[in-house]
Amino acid sequence: MSKFTNYDIIRSPVVTEKSTLASEHGQVVFDVAIEATKADIKAAVEGLFSVKVKAVNTLVRKGKTKRFRGFKGVRNDVKKAIVTLVDGQSIDISTGV
């Protein structure tokens, strides 16, 4: 287990059209810590929401290069986790934990 708490690993839910469509198939999308592993994410979701996780898929969205008043800057990288739940389980992300 890592040195992070569950709230350090799971940063926020992702609410987009694509993640809403995925929720119909028992999947939930979260922004997670860059250092978090799939095992850490699975343990955090099971601990916070009291559900069983079937699978965890992750991806890292690279930060864009942007300009502001002529100065070049880079946005931070973001890691997203697509969590597939066991059949019959669900998470209501509209309510707080």
Side-chain angles (χ1 to χ4, degrees):
M1 195 69 173
S2 69
K3 61 183 181 270
F4 300 112
T5 65
N6 293 342
Y7 290 106
D8 291 334
I9 294 171
I10 304 294
R11 299 259 167 92
S12 64
V14 176
V15 182
T16 60
E17 288 184 39
K18 197 169 190 177
S19 66
T20 305
L21 289 174
S23 67
E24 295 174 1
H25 302 289
Q27 295 179 333
V28 185
V29 183
F30 295 103
D31 280 338
V32 296
I34 291 285
E35 307 86 19
T37 63
K38 289 183 179 186
D40 293 340
I41 295 166
K42 180 179 179 178
V45 170
E46 287 179 346
L48 287 174
F49 299 104
S50 302
V51 294
K52 289 295 288 178
V53 174
K54 184 191 293 186
V56 176
N57 296 330
T58 60
L59 61 100
V60 176
R61 188 180 70 217
K62 299 296 181 184
K64 290 183 176 181
T65 302
K66 301 297 254 178
R67 288 187 168 272
F68 180 71
R69 294 187 179 172
F71 294 104
K72 189 184 280 190
V74 179
R75 290 185 181 172
N76 294 335
D77 296 344
V78 176
K79 187 171 192 175
K80 293 191 334 185
I82 302 166
V83 178
T84 305
L85 303 175
V86 174
D87 292 336
Q89 304 264 327
S90 67
I91 295 175
D92 185 17
I93 59 172
S94 62
T95 61
V97 174

